[in-house]
Amino acid sequence: MKEDHPFLTSDSDFCFATVLSLTDKSVDQIVEELETTFQNLKPNFKYHDNAIHSLSQVLTSYAGDPDDKAERSLTLYEALRVAGIKYGKETELASLGTLLRVKMAPDVLAKEIAETSDYLKSKL
């Protein structure tokens, strides 16, 4: 990772590296998938390379086609926007990858998140 992205890789990536080492993927497979995912996401989140790198690491920790996982991330991000949720493009992006594990359609999940957010705001 550090060889391909020396300015994006830091001590904060140790946690992701540990999770990635627990997968059945070889080091070469991990590096290749990380780069593929990063390049797929980069045009959609310009100027947020560190966050894209973190999201790519989360997605690489899951099984599946890297192109598909990147596309699903973008679909969910757009569904959140359509639902009126202002989802950030910094550290929040890694969480977006975890949300893909929820077995719901992106628009349904975004609606649930929006409703929960509204409910919690009403209790403050």
Side-chain angles (χ1 to χ4, degrees), residues 14-25:
F14 286 141
C15 184
F16 287 123
T18 301
V19 171
L20 289 167
S21 73
L22 298 172
T23 69
D24 292 337
K25 300 173 185 178

Side-chain angles (χ1 to χ4, degrees), residues 86-118:
K86 292 183 181 181
Y87 201 86
K89 295 180 180 178
E90 290 298 330
T91 56
E92 304 88 346
L93 282 185
S95 313
L96 187 66
T98 2
L99 287 171
L100 290 182
R101 303 289 290 195
V102 177
K103 301 292 184 202
M104 295 175 113
D107 56 332
V108 175
L109 178 57
K111 184 179 179 214
E112 286 260 335
I113 292 169
E115 288 171 0
T116 302
S117 177
D118 290 343

